[in-house]
Amino acid sequence: SLELLPTTTSELLPTGFNMVGYVSASMGLGEASRRVATTLRSTGLPLHIVEETAHHTAGRTVPGYAVHSTLRYANSFVAVNADAAINVCARLGITRRPDARSIGHWYWELESFPDQYSGAFAPFSEIWVASEFMREAIAKASPIPVRTMKLEIPVIDNELLPSRREVGFDDRFTFYFTYDANSIFQRK
């Protein structure tokens, strides 16, 4: 849960969360960051969105809220994967502390989590993942709690969507699969 812990930090505000992520990136982690931001905003807690630049994305999406480059609160939710977490947290000054929450939000699609990312746990008090499969894989390597927290699914007004025929499908069953081609193919 997103309960706030008391803080003695004088530079950062104690009540609220920074949400660090690729909120403008047109990629899977960008969409996940935007969904996390939407969910966190719905809690009523003060929220400060910190944009992390994704250098390997083909486009940009306007997130619909203000984004910043520095932290405002002592508590942080960091929606970047383990391979980027160490550098992002070091640059922003996010560390594991007893007086604040730092939550990593990661994706990992293989059964084992590589040792090369073991240092990525250091800045966090816990890791949140989107599936039980991810939780099991990361938890085996993690010295901190790993929790399954599914992303929200936005409600879309069907009246605004094109029909199946308008997008080239007939009435037969259709299976759709997609993934970010900028990602690591072996993980898909």
Side-chain angles (χ1 to χ4, degrees):
S1 74
L2 286 177
E3 68 184 62
L4 296 175
L5 300 176
T7 183
T8 57
T9 303
S10 60
E11 298 169 2
L12 297 172
L13 298 173
T15 304
F17 266 86
N18 304 299
M19 202 302 293
V20 179
Y22 306 112
V23 294
S24 299
S26 294
M27 57 190 240
L29 284 172
E31 180 62 22
S33 293
R34 289 185 292 278
R35 288 189 182 191
V36 167
T38 299
T39 301
L40 291 174
R41 288 175 79 195
S42 73
T43 67
L45 290 170
L47 184 66
H48 185 74
I49 309 293
V50 179
E51 171 74 27
E52 182 57 32
T53 303
H55 299 287
H56 55 280
T57 184
R60 308 291 288 163
T61 299
V62 178
Y65 34 78
V67 296
H68 307 276
S69 60
T70 59
L71 303 179
R72 181 173 187 186
Y73 300 107
N75 303 288
S76 293
F77 189 96
V78 183
V80 302
N81 272 337
D83 60 339
I86 294 173
N87 291 332
V88 169
C89 290
R91 182 177 55 75
L92 292 171
I94 297 170
T95 60
R96 184 183 330 164
R97 302 186 335 234
D99 62 345
R101 303 292 296 273
S102 56
I103 301 167
H105 185 229
W106 295 352
Y107 288 82
W108 188 255
E109 299 87 354
L110 299 177
E111 289 182 359
S112 61
F113 193 73
D115 291 338
Q116 74 188 55
Y117 299 137
S118 62
F121 295 105
F124 300 110
S125 47
E126 60 190 87
I127 303 298
W128 289 6
V129 297
S131 74
E132 186 61 21
F133 178 86
M134 291 178 201
R135 190 200 65 74
E136 288 177 9
I138 294 172
K140 288 184 248 180
S142 179
I144 58 176
V146 180
R147 304 181 197 291
T148 302
M149 300 301 254
K150 298 186 185 321
L151 290 175
E152 57 91 23
I153 299 174
V155 177
I156 299 172
D157 184 354
N158 285 339
E159 304 270 328
L160 303 175
L161 297 175
S163 70
R164 290 176 57 91
R165 294 214 187 276
E166 289 174 315
V167 294
F169 295 121
D170 57 25
D171 291 332
R172 291 179 292 173
F173 175 79
T174 303
F175 178 81
Y176 178 74
F177 173 80
T178 184
Y179 72 91
D180 186 346
N182 290 313
S183 186
I184 300 168
F185 180 75
Q186 291 80 359
R187 284 179 39 197
K188 305 303 173 185

